[in-house]
Amino acid sequence: MTNPRGYGIIKGMYSQNENELIAIGERIGKLCKPNQVLVLSGDLGAGKTTLTKGLAKGLEIEQMIKSPTYTIVREYEGRMPLYHLDVYRIGDDPDSIDLDDFLYGNGLTVIEWGELLDADLLDDYLLIRIDKVGDGRCLTFEAHGTKSEALAEEIQDV
């Protein structure tokens, strides 16, 4: 995905272990508002689902969070819905699921492997890149839209 609107990288964070990654996700989840979209990018095993577990905690979701790899979408209820998508398996056929139901729902939409989607499908989203650095993870945030830029700035203030 490219950044056609010129919004920049807002912040980087470092997580030394899984518990810290979950805590970062929880802080972000507490800041999220309905209709926000987060695109999680990173290699296999980088921690996309682990970060989503923290996001769910921030949304007061009690259910166990599982990777949606084979189901494509998992929906959870908390203070607002969490739509957890993994689009790796849909490849070049985003029409195989109705993304609009999730992108324009009343919850937080988290898309793993979202960089595989055509950028035109997403209007306003926060890209969170997770890179392995030694035993830890480095998170980089890139806003694509005004709502996501506001969220990234809130994250920076935490």
Side-chain angles (χ1 to χ4, degrees):
M1 289 178 151
T2 59
N3 191 346
R5 295 182 187 93
Y7 297 97
I9 294 173
I10 304 296
K11 181 175 179 147
M13 292 181 163
Y14 183 76
S15 161
Q16 294 183 26
N17 56 50
E18 185 175 311
N19 290 336
E20 286 185 10
L21 188 56
I22 289 171
I24 289 169
E26 183 175 2
R27 290 194 307 267
I28 295 169
K30 288 178 179 178
L31 297 172
C32 288
K33 297 169 181 62
N35 300 318
Q36 286 197 291
V37 177
L38 304 179
V39 171
L40 306 184
S41 176
D43 292 336
L44 190 64
K48 295 178 292 292
T49 299
T50 300
L51 183 68
T52 303
K53 289 177 183 180
L55 293 165
K57 285 180 84 170
L59 297 176
E60 302 167 17
I61 293 171
E62 303 286 328
Q63 291 172 268
M64 182 170 61
I65 304 301
K66 298 178 185 175
S67 174
T69 301
Y70 296 103
T71 57
I72 310 295
V73 179
R74 291 190 185 268
E75 186 174 340
Y76 303 94
E77 289 298 325
R79 71 174 167 83
M80 68 177 163
L82 169 63
Y83 309 112
H84 185 196
L85 290 76
D86 183 328
V87 297
Y88 186 79
R89 299 225 184 288
I90 66 172
D92 296 331
D93 187 18
D95 293 332
S96 63
I97 63 169
D98 190 0
L99 287 174
D100 288 352
D101 287 348
F102 308 107
L103 296 176
Y104 304 106
N106 290 323
L108 171 63
T109 302
V110 176
I111 306 173
E112 294 189 22
W113 300 100
E115 71 275 13
L116 299 176
L117 295 174
D118 183 345
D120 294 336
L121 291 174
L122 304 175
D123 182 32
D124 189 319
Y125 64 96
L126 181 63
L127 174 65
I128 303 176
R129 172 122 190 108
I130 306 172
D131 293 299
K132 295 178 187 178
V133 178
D135 290 336
R137 302 293 186 263
C138 181
L139 283 72
T140 307
F141 301 84
E142 185 177 318
H144 294 258
T146 54
K147 187 177 359 178
S148 295
E149 187 170 38
L151 174 60
E153 287 173 4
E154 285 184 85
I155 293 168
Q156 185 169 329
D157 293 340
V158 172

